[in-house]
Amino acid sequence: MSEQPKVSREMVDDILSAYPEKARKMRAKHIVVKDEGCTTCAIKSNSKTIPGVMTARGCAYAGSKGVVFGPVKDMIHISHGPVGCGYYSWSTRRNLAAGERGVDNFVPFQFTSDFTENDIVYGGDKKLETLIREIKELFPKVKGISIQSECPVGLIGDDIESVARKMSKELDMPIVPVRCEGFRGISQSLGHHIANDAIRDHMIGKKERADVGPYDVALIGDYNIGGDAWATKTILEEMGLTVTNIWTGDGTAEMLQTAHQTKLNLIHCYRSMNYICKHLEEEYGTPWMEFNFFGPTKIEESVLQIAERFDEKIMKKAKAVIAKYKPQMEKVIEQYRPRLEGKKVMLYVGGLRPRHIIGAYEDLGMEVIGTGYEFAHKDDYDRTIPEMGNATVIYDDVTAYEFEEFVKRLKPDLIGSGIKEKYVFEKMAVPFRQMHSWDYSGPYHGYDGFPIFARDMDMAINSPTWALSQAPWKKSAKEV
Ligand code: ICE
């Protein structure tokens, strides 16, 4: 086995020296090496990608339609503009939803206003009105509609707000205009913020639930990827809490409208939904807290922290939940740890997972030697640095070139990143898991998720395929 190469600033600088001077200087600020002295290392984030490099980022429309609104299952989300944005974002995120298709679950469908040149020249407002009426006619049980603007809608200055107002009155249901044109912002992150604001202005407080209880909690920033929110809900309910609202995985319009009635907001994905938690606190006094349900260590910590917000009864149940699952989790660790112990991981995902999944790897004896985000802000990096060990590298909006170079030099045993990275690294014979969609697997959250996570990581790393990856012409004559 080759010796583990060391992470160093010299290595980073050497990689960056391939760039023109201006680009080199800019990129240098986005990468830090965490060492002994660096506890709050400065890393530049949430700024424009340098033109010409290959970035993995998405756009504001992706952040609003794909991430925040898309999983609200009984609303219909119109991809308003040319057909491409809707078509290519159709069913790619694996946010699961229960319910009857076309009746109270529209997640599997894709709706678009299919702009053509005519609409760009003459405006698309009339078409939008017609489309909204048709939706109500075809799907009478729909609970609301959101209009997700694509770039051309903003560029030609269509007044989607007035269409929404008019049609909302005519059809007597919420119709939410969302100004999430892709060109806004520098990544999908602004799309999250715009979507949070649209929910604040058009949904929250518009309905009252009759059956409010002292243990009502909202699960915020869990999009039910591969069933994550269901796994999370199981734990919270076994603790004695009532999950009344989920944002937005397997969520409903009513869950957004009654958000002001919960007692505590539990936020998993801070990046995409901190805005709404802060608003609910300021406007309605609802407290909120972050938690992490990846891997038994983090789950245990979070379960106790959540229970502390309630009474003795909940605390007792929380401890019982931990005790119930402990032997099961120990069994999983016993099975997989010997196969995974000491393996090095490099991560690169969106805005939460690069820090939230570290604990789950550590439960299996693995070590995260590099991590980074596509679109995190300073507050995310502040939360990340304490999670990382010394001699690790943290990279913001890493370019395809830089990531490849890091991998060539640091030789991780596993990479967890997205679809754009997957085949590049698999062709380099590095084990890989797609950590946005859980590579068509999941859930990974909660006690239900950990055994699946452990199995999947083992399957990727210890697959016999990697031993067969040497090209025949590189083998000695005897081996062939
Ligand atoms: Fe939050 Mo891909 Fe989800 Fe996070 Fe967010 Fe995105 Fe999903 Fe990734 C998401 S909401 S779609 S946990 S935009 S996997 S920040 S990039 S790490």
Side-chain angles (χ1 to χ4, degrees):
M1 235 177 96
S2 63
E3 207 196 311
Q4 184 65 40
K6 265 198 78 66
V7 178
S8 68
R9 188 72 220 179
E10 291 71 48
M11 177 201 76
V12 173
D13 291 341
D14 187 46
I15 293 171
L16 298 183
S17 68
Y19 288 135
E21 182 52 16
K22 203 171 152 197
R24 186 197 64 74
K25 261 188 161 158
M26 283 165 93
R27 285 301 305 153
K29 296 179 191 152
H30 292 263
I31 302 170
V32 296
V33 172
K34 188 183 169 189
D35 53 29
E36 307 281 347
C38 158
T39 45
T40 52
C41 346
I43 181 161
K44 197 169 164 57
S45 61
N46 195 30
S47 60
K48 251 178 22 191
T49 301
I50 302 174
V53 302
M54 189 68 91
T55 173
R57 281 175 163 175
C59 66
Y61 162 87
S64 175
K65 190 262 181 181
V67 174
V68 175
F69 270 101
V72 184
K73 64 182 175 181
D74 59 0
M75 287 178 77
I76 283 175
H77 311 287
I78 301 172
S79 293
H80 187 41
V83 69
C85 309
Y87 182 76
Y88 289 108
S89 61
W90 184 5
S91 282
T92 52
R93 191 154 167 260
R94 302 193 64 246
N95 43 283
L96 306 187
E100 205 171 323
R101 284 171 186 218
V103 179
D104 56 3
N105 176 15
F106 303 99
V107 168
F109 299 140
Q110 170 58 39
F111 296 82
T112 175
S113 46
D114 187 18
F115 260 38
T116 56
E117 280 97 340
N118 213 39
D119 304 306
I120 304 284
V121 175
Y122 296 105
D125 289 349
K126 282 272 161 308
K127 194 176 196 180
L128 182 60
E129 267 188 45
T130 312
L131 169 58
I132 291 172
R133 276 194 203 100
E134 280 176 7
I135 285 177
K136 180 70 182 168
E137 228 175 273
L138 287 168
F139 304 103
K141 294 213 160 175
V142 67
K143 291 285 163 33
I145 293 173
S146 78
I147 303 162
Q148 307 285 326
S149 290
E150 298 167 10
C151 291
V153 173
L155 292 170
I156 63 174
D158 268 10
D159 190 358
I160 60 165
E161 286 80 6
S162 81
V163 176
R165 232 176 289 124
K166 178 179 165 193
M167 295 313 292
S168 179
K169 259 198 210 124
E170 188 181 312
L171 303 177
D172 190 27
M173 68 174 169
I175 298 186
V176 188
V178 194
R179 283 281 174 196
C180 57
E181 289 89 353
F183 60 76
R184 291 181 199 275
I186 47 160
S187 69
Q188 50 270 66
S189 180
L190 193 68
H192 301 148
H193 199 159
I194 292 168
N196 277 228
D197 288 354
I199 291 172
R200 176 196 66 199
D201 296 342
H202 297 273
M203 302 296 289
I204 290 178
K206 303 281 192 238
K207 251 192 187 164
E208 298 286 327
R209 262 187 314 112
D211 54 339
V212 285
Y215 301 119
D216 291 358
V217 295
L219 172 54
I220 296 197
D222 191 328
Y223 302 91
N224 206 30
I225 309 303
D228 280 342
W230 293 328
T232 300
K233 198 174 161 200
T234 304
I235 299 177
L236 297 172
E237 297 201 330
E238 283 188 26
M239 287 169 68
L241 303 173
T242 317
V243 181
T244 51
N245 306 55
I246 305 181
W247 290 51
T248 50
D250 196 30
T252 62
E254 192 178 283
M255 288 182 186
L256 303 179
Q257 291 167 315
T258 61
H260 57 296
Q261 292 181 290
T262 53
K263 297 288 174 295
L264 177 66
N265 288 325
L266 298 169
I267 182 166
H268 210 242
C269 177
Y270 173 85
R271 180 68 271 132
S272 61
M273 286 211 174
N274 72 84
Y275 318 99
I276 210 68
C277 290
K278 288 171 186 163
H279 169 73
L280 287 165
E281 183 175 42
E282 279 163 23
E283 194 67 24
Y284 301 97
T286 320
W288 58 281
M289 63 176 283
E290 292 172 65
F291 74 106
N292 182 353
F293 271 5
F294 282 110
T297 305
K298 292 288 178 190
I299 299 175
E300 198 171 314
E301 268 174 42
S302 294
V303 162
L304 294 174
Q305 282 164 4
I306 295 167
E308 263 167 31
R309 300 295 193 107
F310 294 91
D311 50 27
E312 260 312 299
K313 188 182 112 193
I314 299 291
M315 183 51 94
K316 225 174 124 197
K317 282 193 160 181
K319 287 183 178 159
V321 170
I322 294 171
K324 172 182 160 192
Y325 288 100
K326 209 169 193 121
Q328 290 178 32
M329 295 301 111
E330 277 168 359
K331 242 176 136 184
V332 174
I333 292 171
E334 215 173 275
Q335 183 182 354
Y336 290 102
R337 196 169 172 132
R339 301 169 59 82
L340 297 170
E341 184 96 57
K343 300 287 184 194
K344 314 275 186 216
V345 187
M346 288 185 86
L347 301 171
Y348 181 61
V349 210
L352 171 87
R353 294 174 178 178
R355 68 172 175 279
H356 249 191
I357 47 186
I358 294 173
Y361 284 111
E362 288 176 349
D363 283 337
L364 295 168
M366 300 164 80
E367 190 194 340
V368 177
I369 57 164
T371 197
Y373 300 90
E374 289 175 25
F375 50 81
H377 299 206
K378 184 180 178 303
D379 43 5
D380 300 299
Y381 284 103
D382 291 344
R383 288 162 167 75
T384 309
I385 287 155
E387 299 287 332
M388 295 291 285
N390 284 325
T392 55
V393 62
I394 303 171
Y395 28 81
D396 175 70
D397 186 24
V398 76
T399 69
Y401 158 74
E402 292 159 14
F403 201 9
E404 242 181 273
E405 284 301 313
F406 284 139
V407 169
K408 279 184 198 156
R409 296 174 195 223
L410 298 174
K411 300 185 173 40
D413 302 292
L414 177 73
I415 299 172
S417 191
I419 195 70
K420 300 186 219 61
E421 294 77 29
K422 181 178 167 102
Y423 300 104
V424 173
F425 292 121
E426 285 191 344
K427 283 176 189 168
M428 286 163 66
V430 184
F432 189 98
R433 287 298 298 184
Q434 214 271 59
M435 295 303 275
H436 294 254
S437 72
W438 304 146
D439 240 336
Y440 319 102
S441 180
Y444 284 175
H445 288 182
Y447 290 121
D448 291 342
F450 185 65
I452 299 170
F453 172 83
R455 180 205 63 193
D456 288 356
M457 298 310 134
D458 175 45
M459 202 164 60
I461 293 179
N462 294 312
S463 162
T465 322
W466 306 117
L468 309 172
S469 68
Q470 204 183 7
W473 57 89
K474 288 191 174 164
K475 289 181 181 170
S476 67
K478 227 168 71 198
E479 283 175 294
V480 180

